[in-house]
Amino acid sequence: MRVGLYTYKKRLFDGRFETWKMPVEILDEHTTTFQVKFLHVHADGRGFGTKSWVKKRSVYVAEGARSLQAKENYSTYLPYKD
């Protein structure tokens, strides 16, 4: 089960936007979107457990630290020292 933090904005009556954050479970993934299940109630009234497609850029997924050794094109160059 992959979990992320979904950030979205809701427009207020005076034209400003209010930012909201909600935990989500990621169910499916495409090139630019995630299918997520809400783990909280959405600001527009959608309930807990509702499934929705959202943009990937709106979801923060903490994958943990990544090793520099596994990165491709990693330079092993060390400067010359006497």
Side-chain angles (χ1 to χ4, degrees):
M1 175 170 103
R2 289 177 57 194
V3 179
L5 187 65
Y6 173 48
T7 304
Y8 61 97
K9 293 183 179 184
K10 185 173 186 231
R11 190 176 187 138
L12 301 174
F13 292 110
D14 60 0
R16 292 181 295 128
F17 288 92
E18 188 173 23
T19 303
W20 294 74
K21 294 183 180 188
M22 166 180 24
V24 293
E25 178 184 345
I26 299 170
L27 303 174
D28 194 9
E29 179 178 358
H30 287 275
T31 55
T32 59
T33 57
F34 283 132
Q35 183 181 26
V36 298
K37 182 169 84 171
F38 297 152
L39 300 178
H40 201 270
V41 178
H42 198 281
D44 66 3
R46 289 183 277 173
F48 176 85
T50 304
K51 295 178 185 174
S52 181
W53 288 95
V54 298
K55 295 280 186 185
K56 276 188 176 181
R57 66 177 178 235
S58 299
V59 179
Y60 172 74
V61 180
E63 297 287 344
R66 295 185 185 185
S67 172
L68 292 176
Q69 298 297 329
K71 182 178 175 185
E72 292 182 27
N73 300 330
Y74 179 71
S75 175
T76 58
Y77 171 76
L78 296 175
Y80 177 76
K81 286 185 158 181
D82 272 338

